Amino acid sequence: MGHLDHAAFGWLTPVLSYAMACIGAALGLRCTVRALEATGGSRRNWLLTAASAIGTGIWTMHFTAMLGFAVRGTDLRYDVPLTVVSLVVAMIVVCAGVFAVGYGRGRTRALILGGLTTGLGVASMHYLGMAALRLHGEVSFDPLMVAVSVVIAVVAATAALWAALHITSPLAVTVASLLMGLAVSSMHYTGMLAVRVRLVPSAEPLAGATAMQFVFPLAVGLGSYLFLTSAFVALSPTARERAAEEAAQRAWRSAPAPTEPEPTPDRRGSHAYIP
């Protein structure tokens, strides 16, 4: 049995991965709030941005945490196509869950459907990412811990979507994002506790890319996307702000123009203005 190290770089990767999960959750919740205030194509665009933010945050959290994962006695490699598939799956299932909430007629039914879909998608992303792992040995999973991690994923996703429906203030969104990040991180590390590795010594080179060759650059790129999108959302006015600005402009246009005072004749018969 191989010795597993989930924090080979100390607290660096757990803290960074938690931060990525929180940023993705905060951005996704803010975009969902904007979407629920909008209509038509604007709602669709905000929901797509929310789904990409949450999916990117979850995927980046997972693989940032995996940068600190090591197995004593073997090198680690990642299957590039399968790793990319895990990212696509995260995007698609989160998109389905967010759209279920954004366009669902019955809030309770949409919440349950969206939370279940998103949670199962998050769990699928996690275990697809683990399936992309290559090492000199065999990887197995504890069924009980796998089940617990899936339940955590579903509960976390449902709670996040509930927050998107009911929480609008920036402070409340921040608190909800911190809790969502904690839930996603808990799901990840619970899933990692389910991992069992039986080493099979071999001199053959492992197929795939190292974490620094592929996972790290991709995680940095997606993390940059989250930061840039966060700046865009922060600078974009909300529907209420746009409505208030339009109302102010209408009031300014409808205001009567100022009139000039009437001239009056002075004693010599000339006209002068009365101050």
Side-chain angles (χ1 to χ4, degrees):
M1 188 71 68
H3 174 74
L4 310 184
D5 188 352
H6 299 286
F9 299 106
W11 284 98
L12 178 62
T13 50
V15 170
L16 283 178
S17 62
Y18 172 68
M20 291 296 102
C22 290
I23 293 171
L27 181 55
L29 292 179
R30 290 304 299 163
C31 290
T32 305
V33 170
R34 299 286 185 92
L36 295 176
E37 295 176 348
T39 57
S42 181
R43 170 173 288 195
R44 180 199 62 229
N45 293 338
W46 279 117
L47 289 175
L48 287 172
T49 306
S52 67
I54 296 174
T56 298
I58 292 171
W59 189 94
T60 306
M61 177 272 145
H62 171 80
F63 281 98
T64 300
M66 290 301 292
L67 291 174
F69 178 69
V71 180
R72 187 177 301 171
T74 179
D75 294 329
L76 301 179
R77 297 289 186 274
Y78 292 89
D79 181 275
V80 174
L82 196 52
T83 303
V84 174
V85 167
S86 70
L87 174 60
V88 174
V89 167
M91 294 291 189
I92 291 175
V93 296
V94 171
C95 186
V98 169
F99 270 74
V101 169
Y103 287 102
R105 295 185 178 182
R107 286 290 178 89
T108 302
R109 181 179 178 183
L111 181 62
I112 294 174
L113 177 61
L116 182 62
T117 301
T118 305
L120 292 177
V122 170
S124 299
M125 181 278 303
H126 174 87
Y127 289 105
L128 274 173
M130 292 304 299
L133 187 64
R134 300 289 180 263
L135 49 77
H136 291 303
E138 297 178 357
V139 178
S140 60
F141 297 91
D142 181 347
L144 177 60
M145 297 304 294
V146 170
V148 172
S149 69
V150 172
V151 171
I152 292 175
V154 172
V155 171
T158 305
L161 294 177
W162 179 90
L165 289 173
H166 296 88
I167 295 176
T168 58
S169 70
L171 178 60
V173 168
T174 300
V175 174
S177 303
L178 294 175
L179 295 176
M180 176 63 179
L182 181 61
V184 172
S185 297
S186 299
M187 179 268 159
H188 171 82
Y189 285 105
T190 301
M192 294 307 294
L193 289 176
V195 177
R196 302 289 184 268
V197 175
R198 186 176 69 85
L199 293 179
V200 179
S202 174
E204 294 183 4
L206 291 167
T210 66
M212 291 300 175
Q213 288 174 337
F214 174 67
V215 174
F216 179 73
L218 188 55
V220 169
L222 293 176
S224 300
Y225 164 76
L226 288 177
F227 281 109
L228 292 174
T229 308
S230 298
F232 168 76
V233 173
L235 295 174
S236 298
T238 64
R240 294 179 182 179
E241 291 171 345
R242 286 195 300 270
E245 183 180 356
E246 291 173 359
Q249 290 178 352
R250 287 195 299 269
W252 180 78
R253 293 193 188 100
S254 61
T259 58
E260 295 182 355
E262 291 291 334
T264 57
D266 59 10
R267 294 179 180 179
R268 293 169 294 183
S270 62
H271 290 77
Y273 288 104
I274 298 177

